[in-house]
Amino acid sequence: MKLYHMIALTSASLLSLGALGFISHQNSTSYSTDYRLETLVGDIEVLNEIKLEGITKVDQNNYSKVTITGEKVEVTPTQYDPRYLVGEDVLENRELYRNMVWAQRLETDQLLLTAQFNSSYFYNHTNPVLFIRSKNKETNQINTQEVILDSVKYGENIMSEFLTEHNGNFYYIATVYGYDGNTNERILTYEVNPDTLALTLKNEEEMPDWSSITIHDGFIYRLPYESSQLTATNIETNEQKTYQINRINEYASIYHMATVEDELFFLVDYSGLMKATFDDQNQIIELTPMQTPTFMNDFLSAEEVIVNNGLIYTIYQEYQINHRSQYISVLDPKANQIVYEGKINIQPNQVLVSSYQFKNKD
């Protein structure tokens, strides 16, 4: 039996629904304010510990943030720039994002850090400059720096960038490629001084084959295309190990990783979670498939993974013509069991400008 949570909202209020409820409201605008959360399998209470957030257009010039927490929904006015497709997180910190289009972002309890390599390098500028900025969340002090990356040579550029933190240390990581096709790609790892934003080159790793890169828990995981060999580089020690992965297609990519009680899980090719068991002696990774949600189909792709209280939460986006939905699955990895499946039906006239994303509960 399916359990439906049907929600209609028009003001900045907090509503708690029962097991089955429907609230309707006549709105003078053409924008829908009905939000539906449909429980397919399990108990919706597992969503009480996390939040789902999206931004919706409520009339011609106004936007609201929609927050779903289990059976509760909160709708509050918010800022949104439809030209640059950014919300209040960016608009309230303009100094950290100015002239940045694809800024990398890292936030801790004390610090908000952004960075982006100068995309005009090699075309309009001769210096390989990294724009890096920070905000002290206690003092609101802003620090903006332009750092020249001497390790990036003329004729090269940066394909992908990452900001990460591990054990209190901050790192900027970039993949470098050459325009002429004769230069081997490289991975550059810099340690960032959070006070001065000075960068120190920590490691330079050759990348002879173009690879998908995943940064997780202090490691850089690199999986070359048309290969089943995964290279793991310890960011702190620069130690590198290469593993043969069993049960993986040679054209596969690893898009997300999750750690639960020292066990590592891979999300492979947007499809399903797999438990990764490392055999360091034989340098082999054995993948064990986890239970797959019942809603899986060819139009779904996994967009986001988080861990909370030992459970793995995954958001799936469905892409079909004239139809849009998001699905949620919650996996108990110890039991290898899906404990919850849900669906958010997004109506065409709902004008959801930002898909729902996971947020940790405050």
Side-chain angles (χ1 to χ4, degrees), residues 56-89:
T56 186
K57 190 173 185 178
V58 294
D59 61 38
Q60 190 62 32
N61 299 307
N62 294 301
Y63 298 84
S64 286
K65 180 190 297 182
V66 182
T67 304
I68 301 175
T69 306
E71 293 182 285
K72 297 179 181 179
V73 171
E74 185 178 11
V75 176
T76 53
T78 191
Q79 300 180 69
Y80 184 77
D81 188 327
R83 179 180 179 184
Y84 294 101
L85 307 179
V86 296
E88 63 182 12
D89 288 346

Side-chain angles (χ1 to χ4, degrees), residues 157-211:
N157 213 324
I158 286 179
M159 175 66 73
S160 55
E161 307 172 89
F162 307 89
L163 283 174
T164 189
E165 182 267 341
H166 188 66
N167 289 338
N169 297 317
F170 295 82
Y171 302 93
Y172 169 78
I173 300 168
T175 59
V176 180
Y177 71 100
Y179 282 112
D180 57 10
N182 297 320
T183 305
N184 285 338
E185 285 77 14
R186 293 171 293 138
I187 302 175
L188 302 178
T189 300
Y190 295 87
E191 187 167 348
V192 180
N193 184 316
D195 298 320
T196 65
L197 299 185
L199 269 65
T200 302
L201 181 64
K202 197 170 188 307
N203 190 34
E204 182 174 338
E205 177 182 337
E206 293 294 326
M207 190 170 60
D209 300 307
W210 191 245
S211 310

Side-chain angles (χ1 to χ4, degrees), residues 9-29:
L9 300 161
T10 58
S11 63
S13 61
L14 184 65
L15 303 180
S16 179
L17 304 181
L20 179 65
F22 180 73
I23 304 170
S24 63
H25 183 86
Q26 294 296 323
N27 196 318
S28 60
T29 73

Side-chain angles (χ1 to χ4, degrees), residues 28-303:
S28 60
T29 73
S30 60
Y31 298 103
S32 170
T33 56
D34 294 339
Y35 303 96
R36 169 190 275 191
L37 175 61
E38 176 185 344
T39 294
L40 304 175
V41 174
D43 189 344
I44 196 174
E45 288 189 3
V46 298
L47 298 185
N48 288 342
E49 299 303 316
I50 58 98
K51 297 189 299 185
L52 292 161
E53 284 188 2
I55 298 176
T56 186
K57 190 173 185 178
V58 294
D59 61 38
Q60 190 62 32
N61 299 307
N62 294 301
Y63 298 84
S64 286
K65 180 190 297 182
V66 182
T67 304
I68 301 175
T69 306
E71 293 182 285
K72 297 179 181 179
V73 171
E74 185 178 11
V75 176
T76 53
T78 191
Q79 300 180 69
Y80 184 77
D81 188 327
R83 179 180 179 184
Y84 294 101
L85 307 179
V86 296
E88 63 182 12
D89 288 346
V90 173
L91 296 174
E92 292 177 356
N93 295 283
R94 287 177 172 86
E95 298 87 350
L96 300 184
Y97 293 92
R98 200 173 304 280
N99 298 322
M100 291 185 182
V101 181
W102 301 285
Q104 299 301 305
R105 171 191 171 102
L106 176 64
E107 185 171 6
T108 68
D109 292 338
Q110 295 79 31
L111 192 70
L112 176 58
L113 188 68
T114 61
Q116 182 181 314
F117 187 72
N118 179 11
S119 59
S120 297
Y121 174 63
F122 189 69
Y123 292 106
N124 300 324
H125 295 82
T126 57
N127 290 326
V129 171
L130 175 73
F131 302 106
I132 184 165
R133 299 159 188 172
S134 68
K135 177 180 179 180
N136 186 309
K137 295 167 69 174
E138 295 180 356
T139 65
N140 288 326
Q141 182 177 356
I142 304 292
N143 186 5
T144 64
Q145 299 291 332
E146 295 184 6
V147 181
I148 295 178
L149 303 182
D150 293 328
S151 298
V152 179
K153 305 168 186 176
Y154 186 75
E156 294 182 328
N157 213 324
I158 286 179
M159 175 66 73
S160 55
E161 307 172 89
F162 307 89
L163 283 174
T164 189
E165 182 267 341
H166 188 66
N167 289 338
N169 297 317
F170 295 82
Y171 302 93
Y172 169 78
I173 300 168
T175 59
V176 180
Y177 71 100
Y179 282 112
D180 57 10
N182 297 320
T183 305
N184 285 338
E185 285 77 14
R186 293 171 293 138
I187 302 175
L188 302 178
T189 300
Y190 295 87
E191 187 167 348
V192 180
N193 184 316
D195 298 320
T196 65
L197 299 185
L199 269 65
T200 302
L201 181 64
K202 197 170 188 307
N203 190 34
E204 182 174 338
E205 177 182 337
E206 293 294 326
M207 190 170 60
D209 300 307
W210 191 245
S211 310
S212 62
I213 305 291
T214 308
I215 313 293
H216 182 74
D217 277 358
F219 282 87
I220 303 171
Y221 294 95
R222 176 170 60 87
L223 181 62
Y225 296 129
E226 301 185 26
S227 171
S228 58
Q229 289 192 326
L230 182 74
T231 298
T233 303
N234 187 309
I235 296 175
E236 292 183 331
T237 66
N238 299 333
E239 180 184 5
Q240 184 180 106
K241 292 184 178 179
T242 299
Y243 300 86
Q244 179 69 35
I245 307 180
N246 291 339
R247 299 184 183 180
I248 191 170
N249 188 293
E250 64 177 345
Y251 299 103
S253 295
I254 298 171
Y255 291 96
H256 296 281
M257 294 183 179
T259 300
V260 181
E261 296 183 358
D262 296 327
E263 291 186 327
L264 189 59
F265 296 83
F266 294 166
L267 183 63
V268 179
D269 278 345
Y270 293 113
S271 53
L273 284 163
M274 296 189 175
K275 179 180 176 181
T277 303
F278 286 69
D279 181 348
D280 286 318
Q281 182 175 357
N282 297 305
Q283 293 185 287
I284 294 173
I285 299 175
E286 186 72 31
L287 294 182
T288 304
M290 296 288 100
Q291 185 179 7
T292 302
T294 59
F295 54 68
M296 291 300 296
N297 63 58
D298 293 338
F299 299 98
L300 284 174
S301 64
E303 300 288 324

